[in-house]
Structures are given as structure tokens and as C-alpha cells.
Amino acid sequence: MARIRVLVVDDHRIFAESLAAALAAEPDVEVAAAGSGPAALRALERAAAESRRFDVMLVDADLGASAAQPPRAVPEQGEGEGGLVDGIALVAGVRTGQLAVRSVVLAEKDDPRRAALALQAGAAGWVAKDCSLQRLLAVIRGVLRDETHLPPALLTGVLRELTAARKHRTESERLVQSLTPREREVLRCMVAGLGRKAVAERLFLSPHTVRTHMQNVLGKLGVHSTLAAVALARRAGVGPADLARDVVERGGQLA
């Protein structure tokens, strides 16, 4: 009998252990558990290295959340393994790492916006934490057939959110295309978190010139802060500058 390997990721130990035990009682399911995003990534990478990949990851939407630190729905640019702060960010991290596992987000409550973000991050399903074991098993087996599972009550709201996100992305892409090649390079440095002095050193420009480029970027994008420019750039699919490489030469045509 082919066994389905499931990784449960939840920092509430009692819930994780109870869910893992219930799933493990199924004759065709093998279960492991992780209590954090970094632990989950280590488990996935170790399993892949041993040629025993997990098939499905069940992850708490509010992984790592606390009253003082509400969950973020998307990962911040440049966050490493230790920066994964919730289940949706973990799903995005797993997709970025190209780890072959279907992700299903377990949520305390229905939230069309966060469910849409989960799908955009690469999740194959969004399921209520209090659903029946039979329902959860149906979702697990369904995503292995490349199905996408959402509660029926969320469908309209999620479609609305995805349509709005697509519209925002298209507009963001248009604005980014209005930038010159040098301005786009400056924007990528901004996305990478570099300040004016660091951008100047990387691009072999004076701080004054970089300031002018940054002001032009903000003006063309129609925003008033670096944070807003970076958020728009991410929506448009602009990635950070590769800080490990010196890709700009003094006196190049981009200046």
C-alpha cells in the first residue's frame, strides 16, 4: 500500500500531537510533526535528502502568532529561515525552496483575504481547524490529485480578492515599466533593503545622484515612501538586487 507522508506544522503542541495521532491511525498515512517554520523546513529538507519526501504539509495559518505580534500574511523581503512568522509565509518559503510538497493551511476562522494570500503563496487548500477528520483526509487526498480545496463559503470572497490582486499587479507592473533601466536597478536595491549610501557604493554613484534617482522612482510610482515603493515593486514581481554579485560596472550604460 502506498503511504501518504504528512507533515503537521503547528506550535500548539497538544493540537499538533492530537492531529498527528488521528491521521496516523489511517493505514495509508505516515505522519511527522514540527513546531515552527524553521523546524518544518529542516524536516522537509532532510526528508528530501533521504529520498523520503513528504507529500502534504498541514500548517497552522497563525503559526508563531502572539497577542503582541499578530500574524503577518506574507513574508517580508529577505527573511531567512528564522524570519518565517506564520503559516502563509512558511508556504511561500517552501515554494521558494522548491520543496516538492503540497501545502494545506489550517485556519481558526474563514478569512477570504488570507485564504487568497495562501493560494498566491502556493497553498493547495484552506481548511478549518475544527473540520472533521474525514473532511481533512478528503482534502489531503484531493490535493495529491492536484485539486484545490476551499470552503464553499469562501469561494466568492477569494475570487474577489484574487481579481483585485491581479488588477493591482497589472497596474504596478505598468508603473515599474515607466522607470529607466537605472531607476529599476535603484528600485531593486531598495527592495534588497539598501540605504542611500549603500546604493551609491554598489552602483558607483554619488549619494546625491542616488537621492535624485530615488526621488524619481517615488514620483513615477506615485508613492511617498521607500516602504510603499518596495511594496509596489513586490506586487509587480520585482526582486531584490543580488548583493552577492557586482553586476554594475563604473561608467556602464545604465548611468
Side-chain angles (χ1 to χ4, degrees):
M1 179 185 296
R3 296 175 68 82
I4 302 170
R5 301 199 71 224
V6 178
L7 179 63
V8 176
V9 188
D10 198 305
D11 52 4
H12 293 85
R13 187 166 59 93
I14 295 177
F15 175 84
E17 291 177 352
S18 298
L19 178 57
L23 291 171
E26 296 295 313
D28 63 338
V29 178
E30 182 180 339
V31 188
S36 69
L41 288 176
R42 288 193 295 269
L44 290 168
E45 290 167 355
R46 185 167 56 249
E50 297 172 354
S51 298
R52 298 179 66 249
R53 294 179 182 274
F54 285 98
D55 300 299
V56 178
M57 178 176 70
L58 304 177
V59 56
D60 178 19
D62 297 328
L63 184 69
S66 67
Q69 172 80 29
R72 288 208 302 269
V74 292
E76 292 296 332
Q77 186 70 44
E79 282 185 339
E81 191 174 290
L84 295 168
V85 295
D86 71 359
I88 299 175
L90 175 59
V91 170
V94 167
R95 182 178 65 176
T96 300
Q98 298 183 337
L99 299 170
V101 59
R102 272 94 166 174
S103 299
V104 175
V105 177
L106 305 179
E108 292 280 0
K109 60 181 180 180
D110 286 345
D111 184 330
R113 179 176 177 275
R114 297 193 72 213
L117 288 170
L119 295 183
Q120 290 174 313
W126 176 280
V127 183
K129 269 193 166 185
D130 60 358
C131 74
S132 68
L133 180 61
Q134 286 66 36
R135 166 63 179 161
L136 184 57
L137 287 167
V139 171
I140 290 172
R141 295 187 171 106
V143 299
L144 288 175
R145 296 191 297 268
D146 293 324
E147 298 172 0
T148 299
H149 283 258
L150 287 171
L154 277 183
L155 286 177
T156 299
V158 168
L159 287 174
R160 185 183 302 116
E161 292 288 341
L162 291 175
T163 300
R166 190 176 300 113
K167 179 180 178 181
H168 290 155
R169 180 181 177 89
T170 300
E171 175 64 13
S172 299
E173 290 172 343
R174 185 187 66 78
L175 291 172
V176 168
Q177 286 300 315
S178 72
L179 303 178
T180 67
R182 173 62 87 189
E183 289 165 351
R184 284 198 290 272
E185 185 65 24
V186 169
L187 179 60
R188 291 181 65 234
C189 290
M190 294 163 66
V191 172
L194 299 183
R196 188 188 309 165
K197 182 179 178 181
V199 175
E201 292 175 351
R202 174 177 170 76
L203 302 184
F204 303 106
L205 300 172
S206 71
H208 176 75
T209 299
V210 171
R211 179 183 180 185
T212 299
H213 281 314
M214 286 183 165
Q215 289 175 338
N216 289 341
V217 167
L218 297 184
K220 289 183 179 181
L221 297 184
V223 296
H224 302 287
S225 69
T226 296
L227 184 62
V230 169
L232 187 150
R234 288 175 181 161
R235 287 198 299 272
V238 176
D242 185 354
L243 304 184
R245 297 171 53 203
D246 291 324
V247 296
V248 180
E249 297 181 0
R250 187 187 301 272
Q253 296 183 351
L254 290 179

